[in-house]
Amino acid sequence: MTVRVPAKVNVQLSVGPLREDGYHDLVNVFHAVSIFDEVVAKESDSITVQVDGKWSDQVPVDDSNLAIRAARALAKHAGRTYGADLVIQKDIPVAGGMAGGSADAAGALVACNELWGLGLPIEDLMEIAGDLGSDVPFSLIGGTAVGTGRGEQLSELPTGGTFHWVFALANGGLSTASVYAECDRLRQAAGAEVPWPQLNDSLMEALGTGDAYALGRNLSNDLQAAALNLRPELAPTLDAGGQHGALGAIVSGSGPTCAFLAIDATHARDLAQSLTATGAAHTAVAAHGPVQGAVLV
Ligand code: C5P
């Protein structure tokens, strides 16, 4: 069984006050983009994982691997002992703010559901996904969706067209937990009350009408200041996007990947080339969204 799963960028990431359980309530507008991991599940007596591809040396293959945890959680839900050898072909940056680990978990859920002949509906997979991580449910459905709660309670959003993006990949990842912690620290130091997160109506309209210019103006990420504090070298990368005509530039999720919205596919290719040629990014990848979530191929 082979499943293809997309990366995501957050076009709005509004972070509410710190909750008692250590999480934050969010208004998190996810958008799935055409950078994919592939998860293959083969029959086996036990659950194992092997990681191939670009970033394979950065992914743990022990029990902390999110795809292994996903397969185990699915077997537990089904109430039986099942095995699967999982092979992940990685293209999504690791700890890059693009939900690469979540994509692999979603891929493992869909692949093992099929391999083991469980036939569980998407609703059941979504529930298991939410327990694995805040972004895993979105990796299952893809498209564009607003996540509330920890980000796991999703409503799909209609989009009026395809958006073209460039992603500047950074050397080394950022831990999501440390970026949220830095966000809390900055907020505490500023001493201002943290408002309850609200969905941006202008952003909704831009997504609905497919207006890339309006979407570019309305991109927002409450984690950006924290990610920039932890990685000051990202600031000139973001600035370079504007110099090369990006309609918007933002840190993707908890970073350190930077996302640039382009006018069209040609502009995205040119922008990617300019960012690498000028040294603003060492690697830049053009992609489009929205794309569908985890699918059997
Ligand atoms: O849910 P997930 O395991 O992906 O979250 C990783 C970390 O990110 C959490 O341990 C928490 O520190 C932070 N987080 C948060 N609020 C959210 C989602 C994640 O504080 N809504």
Side-chain angles (χ1 to χ4, degrees):
M1 299 300 158
T2 302
V3 176
R4 199 175 76 151
V5 203
K8 62 84 184 160
V9 60
N10 308 83
V11 291
Q12 178 185 349
L13 181 45
S14 297
V15 179
L18 179 63
R19 307 192 319 199
E20 278 184 5
D21 65 359
Y23 284 88
H24 300 74
D25 279 300
L26 306 177
V27 165
N28 190 352
V29 182
F30 295 101
H31 180 69
V33 294
S34 60
I35 299 173
F36 301 98
D37 279 1
E38 238 176 46
V39 181
V40 178
K42 299 176 198 161
E43 278 179 39
S44 176
D45 293 335
S46 57
I47 296 174
T48 67
V49 71
Q50 177 191 322
V51 186
D52 296 331
K54 272 186 203 157
W55 323 98
S56 51
D57 55 332
Q58 296 170 38
V59 183
V61 290
D62 59 14
D63 285 358
S64 66
N65 183 286
L66 209 50
I68 287 200
R69 286 175 46 206
R72 292 221 172 107
L74 183 67
K76 192 172 167 207
H77 180 95
R80 292 251 324 258
T81 308
Y82 291 98
D85 286 334
L86 303 170
V87 181
I88 299 170
Q89 186 70 33
K90 273 220 84 67
D91 211 20
I92 306 174
V94 177
M98 298 194 78
S102 301
D104 300 344
L109 288 177
V110 173
C112 291
N113 189 34
E114 199 68 23
L115 180 73
W116 298 337
L118 301 177
L120 292 179
I122 184 75
E123 293 77 16
D124 288 24
L125 298 185
M126 294 283 276
E127 206 178 298
I128 301 167
D131 290 338
L132 291 164
S134 309
D135 293 352
V136 184
F138 176 74
S139 297
L140 283 173
I141 63 165
T144 306
V146 57
T148 52
R150 284 187 290 120
E152 87 287 14
Q153 296 160 25
L154 295 171
S155 313
E156 291 178 58
L157 289 175
T159 46
T162 295
F163 297 100
H164 296 273
W165 297 89
V166 174
F167 296 95
L169 313 186
N171 272 325
L174 271 175
S175 123
T176 306
S178 65
V179 178
Y180 273 99
E182 179 67 5
C183 175
D184 290 335
R185 196 189 65 77
L186 289 174
R187 285 173 163 184
Q188 214 164 20
E193 200 179 317
V194 179
W196 191 252
Q198 302 285 344
L199 194 55
N200 175 348
D201 290 337
S202 306
L203 178 94
M204 292 299 96
E205 200 181 319
L207 288 168
T209 56
D211 183 341
Y213 289 83
L215 179 60
R217 282 194 300 275
N218 282 285
L219 296 172
S220 70
N221 180 359
D222 282 355
L223 293 179
Q224 180 156 313
L228 290 178
N229 243 24
L230 297 173
R231 288 288 182 86
E233 68 272 21
L234 299 179
T237 306
L238 287 174
D239 289 346
Q243 288 153 24
H244 296 289
L247 303 179
I250 197 167
V251 168
S252 180
S254 55
T257 305
C258 292
F260 304 92
L261 186 59
I263 298 164
D264 53 25
T266 308
H267 181 222
R269 271 196 303 274
D270 292 347
L271 183 56
Q273 214 166 26
S274 306
L275 289 171
T276 47
T278 55
H282 69 85
T283 309
V285 181
H288 63 270
V291 295
Q292 61 180 323
V295 280
L296 282 163
V297 291

